[in-house]
Amino acid sequence: MRKAIEDVVTKMFVYNDEHNWEGLASVFAPEVKMLHLLEGNETEHVMTPQEIVSAWRPIMEQFQSVHHQIGNMLFRSMDENSATVTCYGTSTHYKADKSVWEVVGTYEFKLNRINNDWKIVDEIFKCKHQSGSIN
């Protein structure tokens, strides 16, 4: 069970980096609460998987390559139908002009078992620091 939950979290980052938009949508529940805290800019939304892809895709596709790396994954709670997992994350975004945007922070994911598959129902990202620019 633990491995299946870890795989869902890992797939979210890998599919994003690979621009595998169908795969990315597949890791999310039908409704996902997302809270992103980026240096004084707080955004909270309840979104469908398709809305998440539509929001993230144009941002990610402006970069020549994107690399997310996660670690220090901890299971904060887990039972047969739900889990809360935290991890550290860093992402490096490269543009063709050699400019780089790097973001480092922590994630908290809540996952539920839906039709025997683990799905992300809640994501909180807290930015610790970033350098460069998204533009």
Side-chain angles (χ1 to χ4, degrees):
M1 183 166 57
R2 182 180 172 110
K3 176 75 169 112
I5 294 166
E6 287 178 10
D7 283 351
V8 171
V9 172
T10 300
K11 285 176 183 178
M12 187 197 81
F13 293 105
V14 171
Y15 291 161
N16 190 351
D17 291 352
E18 294 175 343
H19 296 182
N20 177 348
W21 308 120
E22 186 177 321
L24 179 62
S26 75
V27 303
F28 295 111
E31 269 195 356
V32 182
K33 182 177 142 193
M34 306 197 92
L35 174 60
H36 289 182
L37 305 165
L38 290 161
E39 298 180 349
N41 183 15
E42 179 178 316
T43 58
E44 183 172 6
H45 303 282
V46 176
M47 304 172 79
T48 67
Q50 293 72 29
E51 289 170 332
I52 295 167
V53 169
S54 293
W56 292 4
R57 185 176 186 164
I59 296 168
M60 295 300 125
E61 287 185 341
Q62 71 178 306
F63 297 100
Q64 184 177 359
S65 68
V66 178
H67 178 83
H68 285 86
Q69 191 72 44
I70 60 171
N72 297 337
M73 191 175 291
L74 290 177
F75 281 71
R76 302 295 181 160
S77 66
M78 183 173 59
D79 63 34
E80 290 192 22
N81 293 307
S82 65
T84 300
V85 178
T86 59
C87 66
Y88 294 168
T90 181
S91 59
T92 306
H93 310 74
Y94 295 96
K95 285 194 170 182
D97 68 2
K98 307 236 187 262
S99 62
V100 177
W101 177 44
E102 293 183 302
V103 183
V104 176
T106 59
Y107 290 87
E108 178 178 310
F109 295 98
K110 292 185 178 146
L111 297 93
N112 287 346
R113 189 188 303 259
I114 300 171
N115 298 325
N116 282 332
D117 293 318
W118 287 97
K119 302 288 183 179
I120 296 169
V121 296
D122 190 75
E123 177 199 297
I124 300 171
F125 174 69
K126 295 177 186 171
C127 179
K128 288 185 176 180
H129 62 85
Q130 59 182 323
S131 61
S133 174
I134 192 170
N135 301 319

